[in-house]
Amino acid sequence: MAPDHRTDSLKCLFLRYFQRWGSALCLPLNSSAENPITSRALLPAIAVVTSCSGTVKQLDEDGKKRKLRLRETLPLNQTSFSTASNSSLFLCLSNGIGLGLGESTSIRIHRYEQSMTNPMHAGLNFENSVSHLQIQTEAGKIAVAFNHLNPLSKAEFILPVGTLIVHSGQFLLEVDPNSACSVIAYKGTATFYQKDSTEREFVAPGKGISISPESVQRFAVDQSKLETAPMQNDSLLVAATEFTRKRILFRHNPDGEQPLQQWILPEKRLDQAIARPFQFKLK
């Protein structure tokens, strides 16, 4: 019987594939071996100031004050922001997340790192990189908005009573160091992990949770509906943050590590009246 060369070729192809990838695929789930995907180099990432009003302060990683300017590119890793009364700040992050800080708000960005962007997947709906964002909300109100992050990315918000992992959507976080913290989901989903506990709470669209030191002690959170929880100013803060994330499209930069910025004009700009007081007519 003549040898089956087709079968032999398939066997050789399988052996080559197993020698290259088989050992990685057969690793146990709790293996500490380095994953070639998740170990992709993450570098300090940037954000752009899309709107800034009132008194806003930033402390860089060296603890020095920095004056903010409109459309300025900022490094965010290991930095702090604070707003005074009647002040606000809106940032568009290079991974597609929009952040909005209301008045009398202070946050600390412990980590914001990102891999190089993928030139084949630039857009506003899906992240074209891998990133890790970790923000500690100390006081005030912060809005966050984004569509979909990379499955390997993480958006983590540390509250005095626990940690919130936002998966997607539009959220409003309010922190009062002396009383309860609240989380409201306008769109999307998130998971809240209670401090010093294995308990967790799923936050669904149109819902909100309120967490106080007393509720943490009894391992429970208070649920609320979106219709009665937020005020009008809160809704405006979230809507402005959603608009912020759509102001800039970050593209792959072949000449450097930081992505290129492409500002997006609102569609209303196309409907403006002609600025010139005259027009030409063709004969």
Side-chain angles (χ1 to χ4, degrees):
M1 183 176 181
D4 190 347
H5 297 287
R6 184 177 180 180
T7 302
D8 293 341
S9 300
L10 291 175
K11 289 181 180 179
C12 293
L13 181 63
F14 175 78
L15 289 176
R16 291 179 182 178
Y17 179 84
F18 185 83
Q19 290 175 355
R20 183 173 183 180
W21 300 106
S23 57
L25 294 174
C26 295
L27 287 174
L29 293 177
N30 60 351
S31 174
S32 59
E34 186 178 18
N35 189 324
I37 299 178
T38 57
S39 63
R40 185 183 303 178
L42 297 181
L43 304 173
I46 59 172
V48 178
V49 179
T50 61
S51 179
C52 180
S53 62
T55 303
V56 182
K57 297 180 181 179
Q58 181 196 16
L59 296 180
D60 59 18
E61 57 183 353
D62 297 325
K64 298 180 180 180
K65 293 183 179 180
R66 180 170 181 164
K67 186 177 180 181
L68 301 181
R69 294 176 298 177
L70 189 62
R71 296 200 173 191
E72 181 183 11
T73 302
L74 303 175
L76 289 191
N77 197 45
Q78 295 292 323
T79 60
S80 301
F81 293 91
S82 62
T83 60
S85 179
N86 298 322
S87 304
S88 63
L89 172 66
F90 294 91
L91 300 172
C92 183
L93 278 60
S94 54
N95 64 349
I97 292 181
L99 288 181
L101 277 64
E103 64 175 353
S104 303
T105 299
S106 59
I107 64 171
R108 170 70 179 174
I109 302 179
H110 292 290
R111 181 183 182 186
Y112 179 45
E113 296 177 331
Q114 182 183 19
S115 67
M116 293 189 65
T117 57
N118 189 333
M120 301 298 294
H121 300 91
L124 296 174
N125 292 327
F126 297 93
E127 182 187 8
N128 60 346
S129 63
V130 177
S131 61
H132 191 160
L133 175 66
Q134 186 183 62
I135 299 180
Q136 180 177 356
T137 306
E138 300 171 349
K141 296 180 180 181
I142 175 174
V144 54
F146 61 90
N147 204 341
H148 295 286
L149 292 181
N150 189 302
L152 300 176
S153 300
K154 179 184 287 188
E156 183 179 4
F157 297 85
I158 303 174
L159 307 176
V161 292
T163 301
L164 183 74
I165 306 296
V166 180
H167 308 303
S168 66
Q170 303 171 17
F171 280 78
L172 179 69
L173 287 65
E174 183 175 4
V175 175
D176 187 344
N178 301 320
S179 61
C181 302
S182 64
V183 177
I184 301 176
Y186 288 75
K187 291 182 180 179
T189 58
T191 305
F192 174 76
Y193 297 86
Q194 295 189 25
K195 187 177 182 181
D196 301 328
S197 172
T198 58
E199 298 292 327
R200 61 183 180 179
E201 190 77 22
F202 182 76
V203 187
K207 301 289 185 178
I209 60 174
S210 179
I211 318 103
S212 63
E214 292 77 14
S215 63
V216 172
Q217 293 178 0
R218 67 175 188 269
F219 303 107
V221 297
D222 300 324
Q223 295 280 350
S224 62
K225 292 185 178 180
L226 182 61
E227 291 80 10
T228 58
M231 296 184 295
Q232 182 178 5
N233 291 339
D234 297 341
S235 301
L236 293 177
L237 179 62
V238 174
T241 305
E242 170 67 14
F243 178 72
T244 292
R245 78 169 186 89
K246 298 179 179 179
R247 294 291 307 278
I248 304 175
L249 177 63
F250 291 91
R251 296 184 176 275
H252 175 71
N253 185 2
D255 300 324
E257 297 173 350
Q258 293 187 353
L260 299 175
Q261 306 168 19
Q262 179 179 344
W263 284 79
I264 302 174
L265 295 177
E267 294 181 358
K268 293 183 180 179
R269 293 288 298 270
L270 303 177
D271 300 329
Q272 290 183 351
I274 299 176
R276 297 186 297 271
F278 54 85
Q279 296 180 355
F280 293 99
K281 293 184 180 180
L282 298 176
K283 295 181 179 181

Coordinates of all heavy atoms in Angstrom, one line a residue, residues 73-128:
T73 N -1.1 68.0 26.2 CA -0.9 66.6 26.4 C -0.2 66.4 27.7 O 0.8 67.0 28.0 CB -0.1 66.0 25.3 OG1 -0.8 66.2 24.0 CG2 0.1 64.5 25.5
L74 N -0.8 65.5 28.6 CA -0.3 65.3 29.9 C 0.1 63.8 30.1 O -0.6 62.9 29.7 CB -1.3 65.7 31.0 CG -1.9 67.1 30.9 CD1 -3.0 67.2 31.9 CD2 -0.9 68.1 31.2
P75 N 1.2 63.6 30.8 CA 1.5 62.3 31.3 C 0.7 62.1 32.6 O 0.6 62.9 33.5 CB 3.0 62.3 31.7 CG 3.3 63.8 31.9 CD 2.4 64.5 31.1
L76 N 0.0 60.9 32.7 CA -0.9 60.7 33.9 C -0.3 59.7 34.9 O -0.8 59.8 36.0 CB -2.2 60.1 33.3 CG -3.1 61.1 32.6 CD1 -4.5 60.4 32.4 CD2 -3.3 62.4 33.2
N77 N 0.6 58.9 34.6 CA 1.1 57.9 35.5 C 1.7 58.6 36.8 O 2.5 59.5 36.7 CB 2.1 57.0 34.9 CG 2.4 55.8 35.6 OD1 1.4 55.1 36.1 ND2 3.7 55.4 35.8
Q78 N 1.2 58.2 37.9 CA 1.7 58.7 39.2 C 1.5 60.2 39.4 O 2.4 61.0 39.8 CB 3.2 58.4 39.4 CG 3.5 56.9 39.5 CD 2.9 56.3 40.8 OE1 2.9 56.9 41.9 NE2 2.4 55.1 40.7
T79 N 0.3 60.7 39.0 CA 0.0 62.1 39.1 C -1.3 62.3 39.9 O -2.1 61.4 40.1 CB -0.2 62.8 37.7 OG1 -1.3 62.1 37.0 CG2 1.1 62.7 36.9
S80 N -1.6 63.6 40.3 CA -2.8 63.9 41.1 C -3.4 65.1 40.5 O -2.8 66.0 39.9 CB -2.4 64.2 42.6 OG -1.8 63.1 43.2
F81 N -4.8 65.2 40.6 CA -5.6 66.3 40.2 C -6.5 66.7 41.2 O -7.0 65.9 42.0 CB -6.4 65.9 38.9 CG -5.5 65.7 37.7 CD1 -5.1 64.4 37.4 CD2 -5.2 66.7 36.8 CE1 -4.3 64.1 36.3 CE2 -4.4 66.5 35.7 CZ -4.0 65.2 35.4
S82 N -6.8 68.0 41.3 CA -7.8 68.6 42.2 C -8.4 69.8 41.6 O -7.8 70.6 40.9 CB -7.1 68.9 43.6 OG -6.2 70.0 43.4
T83 N -9.7 69.9 41.9 CA -10.5 71.0 41.4 C -11.1 71.8 42.6 O -11.5 71.2 43.6 CB -11.7 70.6 40.5 OG1 -12.5 69.7 41.2 CG2 -11.1 69.8 39.3
A84 N -11.2 73.1 42.4 CA -11.8 73.9 43.5 C -13.3 74.1 43.3 O -13.9 73.4 42.4 CB -11.1 75.3 43.5
S85 N -13.9 74.9 44.1 CA -15.4 75.1 43.9 C -15.6 75.8 42.6 O -14.9 76.6 42.1 CB -15.9 76.0 45.1 OG -17.2 76.3 44.9
N86 N -16.7 75.4 41.9 CA -17.1 75.9 40.6 C -16.0 75.7 39.6 O -15.8 76.6 38.7 CB -17.5 77.4 40.7 CG -18.6 77.7 41.6 OD1 -19.6 76.9 41.6 ND2 -18.5 78.8 42.4
S87 N -15.4 74.6 39.6 CA -14.3 74.2 38.7 C -14.6 72.8 38.1 O -15.3 72.0 38.7 CB -12.9 74.3 39.4 OG -12.7 75.5 39.9
S88 N -14.0 72.5 37.0 CA -14.1 71.2 36.3 C -13.0 71.0 35.4 O -12.3 71.9 35.0 CB -15.5 71.1 35.6 OG -15.4 72.1 34.5
L89 N -12.8 69.7 35.1 CA -11.7 69.2 34.3 C -12.1 68.0 33.5 O -12.7 67.1 34.1 CB -10.4 68.9 35.1 CG -9.3 68.2 34.3 CD1 -8.7 69.2 33.3 CD2 -8.2 67.7 35.3
F90 N -11.9 68.0 32.2 CA -12.2 66.9 31.3 C -11.0 66.4 30.6 O -10.3 67.2 30.0 CB -13.3 67.3 30.4 CG -14.6 67.5 31.1 CD1 -15.0 68.8 31.4 CD2 -15.5 66.5 31.3 CE1 -16.1 69.1 32.1 CE2 -16.7 66.8 32.0 CZ -17.0 68.1 32.3
L91 N -10.7 65.1 30.6 CA -9.6 64.5 30.0 C -10.0 63.4 29.1 O -10.9 62.6 29.4 CB -8.6 63.9 31.1 CG -8.1 64.9 32.1 CD1 -7.3 64.1 33.2 CD2 -7.1 65.9 31.5
C92 N -9.3 63.3 27.9 CA -9.5 62.2 27.0 C -8.2 61.4 27.0 O -7.1 61.9 26.6 CB -9.7 62.8 25.6 SG -10.1 61.5 24.3
L93 N -8.3 60.2 27.5 CA -7.2 59.3 27.7 C -6.8 58.6 26.3 O -7.7 58.4 25.5 CB -7.4 58.3 28.8 CG -7.2 58.8 30.2 CD1 -8.1 59.9 30.6 CD2 -7.4 57.6 31.2
S94 N -5.6 58.2 26.2 CA -5.1 57.7 24.9 C -5.7 56.3 24.7 O -5.5 55.7 23.6 CB -3.6 57.6 24.9 OG -3.1 57.0 26.1
N95 N -6.3 55.6 25.7 CA -6.9 54.3 25.5 C -8.4 54.4 25.2 O -9.1 53.4 25.1 CB -6.7 53.4 26.7 CG -7.4 53.9 27.9 OD1 -7.8 55.1 28.0 ND2 -7.4 53.1 29.0
G96 N -8.9 55.7 25.0 CA -10.3 55.9 24.6 C -11.2 56.2 25.8 O -12.4 56.4 25.6
I97 N -10.7 56.3 27.0 CA -11.6 56.6 28.2 C -11.7 58.1 28.3 O -10.7 58.9 28.2 CB -10.9 56.0 29.4 CG1 -11.0 54.5 29.4 CG2 -11.7 56.5 30.7 CD1 -10.5 53.8 30.6
G98 N -12.9 58.6 28.7 CA -13.1 60.0 29.0 C -13.3 60.1 30.5 O -14.0 59.3 31.2
L99 N -12.6 61.1 31.1 CA -12.7 61.3 32.6 C -13.2 62.8 32.8 O -12.7 63.7 32.1 CB -11.3 61.2 33.3 CG -10.8 59.8 33.4 CD1 -9.5 59.8 34.1 CD2 -11.8 58.9 34.2
G100 N -14.1 62.9 33.7 CA -14.7 64.2 34.0 C -14.6 64.5 35.5 O -15.2 63.6 36.3
L101 N -14.0 65.5 36.0 CA -13.9 65.9 37.4 C -14.8 67.0 37.7 O -14.7 68.1 37.1 CB -12.5 66.2 37.8 CG -11.5 65.0 38.1 CD1 -11.3 64.2 36.9 CD2 -10.2 65.6 38.7
G102 N -15.8 66.9 38.6 CA -16.6 67.9 39.0 C -15.9 68.9 40.0 O -14.7 68.7 40.3
E103 N -16.6 69.8 40.6 CA -16.1 70.7 41.6 C -15.7 70.0 42.9 O -16.3 69.0 43.2 CB -17.0 71.9 41.8 CG -18.3 71.5 42.5 CD -19.2 72.7 42.8 OE1 -18.7 73.8 42.7 OE2 -20.3 72.4 43.3
S104 N -14.7 70.6 43.5 CA -14.2 70.1 44.8 C -13.9 68.6 44.8 O -14.3 67.8 45.6 CB -15.2 70.4 45.9 OG -15.5 71.8 46.0
T105 N -13.1 68.2 43.8 CA -12.8 66.8 43.5 C -11.3 66.6 43.6 O -10.6 67.5 43.0 CB -13.4 66.3 42.2 OG1 -14.8 66.4 42.2 CG2 -13.0 64.8 41.9
S106 N -10.8 65.6 44.1 CA -9.4 65.2 44.2 C -9.2 63.7 43.9 O -9.9 62.9 44.5 CB -8.8 65.6 45.5 OG -9.4 64.9 46.6
I107 N -8.3 63.4 43.0 CA -8.0 62.0 42.6 C -6.5 61.8 42.6 O -5.7 62.8 42.4 CB -8.6 61.6 41.3 CG1 -8.0 62.5 40.1 CG2 -10.1 61.8 41.3 CD1 -8.4 62.0 38.7
R108 N -6.1 60.6 42.7 CA -4.7 60.2 42.5 C -4.6 59.1 41.5 O -5.3 58.0 41.7 CB -4.1 59.8 43.9 CG -2.8 59.1 43.8 CD -1.7 60.1 43.5 NE -0.4 59.5 43.5 CZ 0.8 60.1 43.1 NH1 0.7 61.4 42.7 NH2 1.9 59.5 43.1
I109 N -3.9 59.2 40.5 CA -3.7 58.2 39.4 C -2.5 57.4 39.8 O -1.3 57.9 39.6 CB -3.6 58.8 38.0 CG1 -4.9 59.6 37.7 CG2 -3.5 57.7 37.0 CD1 -4.9 60.3 36.4
H110 N -2.7 56.2 40.4 CA -1.5 55.4 40.8 C -0.9 54.8 39.6 O 0.4 54.6 39.6 CB -2.0 54.3 41.7 CG -2.5 54.8 43.1 ND1 -1.6 55.3 44.0 CD2 -3.7 54.9 43.6 CE1 -2.2 55.7 45.1 NE2 -3.5 55.5 44.9
R111 N -1.7 54.4 38.6 CA -1.1 53.8 37.4 C -1.9 54.1 36.2 O -3.1 54.0 36.2 CB -1.0 52.3 37.6 CG -0.4 51.5 36.5 CD -0.4 50.0 36.7 NE 0.2 49.3 35.7 CZ 0.3 47.9 35.6 NH1 -0.3 47.2 36.5 NH2 0.9 47.3 34.5
Y112 N -1.2 54.4 35.1 CA -1.8 54.5 33.8 C -0.7 54.2 32.8 O 0.1 55.0 32.4 CB -2.4 55.9 33.5 CG -3.1 55.9 32.1 CD1 -3.9 54.9 31.7 CD2 -2.8 57.0 31.3 CE1 -4.4 54.9 30.4 CE2 -3.4 57.1 30.0 CZ -4.2 56.0 29.6 OH -4.7 56.1 28.3
E113 N -0.8 52.9 32.3 CA 0.2 52.4 31.4 C -0.5 51.8 30.2 O -1.7 51.3 30.3 CB 1.1 51.4 32.0 CG 2.0 52.0 33.2 CD 2.8 50.9 33.8 OE1 2.4 49.8 33.9 OE2 3.9 51.3 34.3
Q114 N 0.2 51.8 29.1 CA -0.5 51.4 27.8 C 0.6 50.8 26.9 O 1.7 51.3 26.8 CB -1.2 52.6 27.2 CG -1.9 52.2 25.9 CD -2.6 53.5 25.3 OE1 -2.2 54.6 25.6 NE2 -3.5 53.3 24.4
S115 N 0.2 49.8 26.1 CA 1.1 49.2 25.1 C 0.9 50.1 23.8 O 0.1 51.0 23.8 CB 0.7 47.8 24.8 OG -0.6 47.8 24.1
M116 N 1.8 49.8 22.9 CA 1.7 50.6 21.6 C 0.4 50.2 20.9 O -0.1 49.1 21.0 CB 2.9 50.2 20.7 CG 4.2 50.7 21.3 SD 5.6 50.5 20.1 CE 5.1 51.7 18.8
T117 N -0.2 51.2 20.3 CA -1.5 51.0 19.6 C -1.3 50.2 18.4 O -0.3 50.1 17.7 CB -2.1 52.3 19.2 OG1 -1.2 53.1 18.4 CG2 -2.4 53.2 20.5
N118 N -2.4 49.4 18.0 CA -2.4 48.6 16.8 C -2.9 49.4 15.7 O -4.0 50.0 15.7 CB -3.4 47.4 17.1 CG -3.3 46.4 16.0 OD1 -3.0 46.7 14.8 ND2 -3.6 45.2 16.3
P119 N -2.1 49.6 14.6 CA -2.5 50.4 13.5 C -3.7 49.9 12.7 O -4.3 50.7 12.0 CB -1.3 50.5 12.6 CG -0.5 49.2 12.9 CD -0.8 49.0 14.4
M120 N -4.1 48.7 12.9 CA -5.2 48.1 12.2 C -6.5 48.3 12.9 O -7.6 48.0 12.3 CB -5.0 46.6 11.9 CG -3.7 46.3 11.2 SD -3.6 47.0 9.5 CE -4.9 46.0 8.8
H121 N -6.6 48.8 14.1 CA -7.8 48.8 14.8 C -8.0 50.2 15.5 O -8.2 50.3 16.7 CB -7.9 47.7 15.9 CG -7.8 46.4 15.3 ND1 -6.6 45.7 15.2 CD2 -8.8 45.5 14.9 CE1 -6.8 44.5 14.6 NE2 -8.1 44.4 14.4
A122 N -7.9 51.3 14.8 CA -8.1 52.6 15.3 C -9.6 52.9 15.2 O -10.2 52.8 14.2 CB -7.3 53.6 14.6
G123 N -10.2 53.4 16.3 CA -11.6 53.8 16.3 C -12.0 54.2 17.7 O -11.3 54.1 18.7
L124 N -13.3 54.7 17.8 CA -13.8 55.2 19.1 C -14.6 54.1 19.8 O -14.9 54.3 21.0 CB -14.8 56.4 18.8 CG -14.1 57.6 18.2 CD1 -15.2 58.7 17.9 CD2 -13.1 58.2 19.2
N125 N -14.9 53.0 19.2 CA -15.7 52.0 19.8 C -14.9 50.9 20.5 O -15.4 50.3 21.5 CB -16.6 51.3 18.8 CG -17.7 52.3 18.3 OD1 -18.1 53.1 19.0 ND2 -18.0 52.1 17.0
F126 N -13.7 50.6 20.1 CA -12.9 49.5 20.7 C -11.5 50.1 20.9 O -10.9 50.8 20.1 CB -12.9 48.3 19.8 CG -14.2 47.7 19.6 CD1 -15.0 48.0 18.5 CD2 -14.7 46.8 20.5 CE1 -16.3 47.4 18.4 CE2 -16.0 46.2 20.4 CZ -16.7 46.5 19.3
E127 N -10.9 49.6 22.0 CA -9.5 50.0 22.3 C -8.5 49.3 21.4 O -8.7 48.1 21.2 CB -9.2 49.7 23.7 CG -7.8 50.2 24.1 CD -7.4 49.7 25.5 OE1 -8.2 48.9 26.1 OE2 -6.3 50.1 26.0
N128 N -7.6 50.0 20.8 CA -6.6 49.4 19.9 C -5.2 49.2 20.6 O -4.2 49.2 20.0 CB -6.4 50.3 18.7 CG -5.9 51.7 19.0 OD1 -5.9 52.1 20.2 ND2 -5.5 52.4 18.0

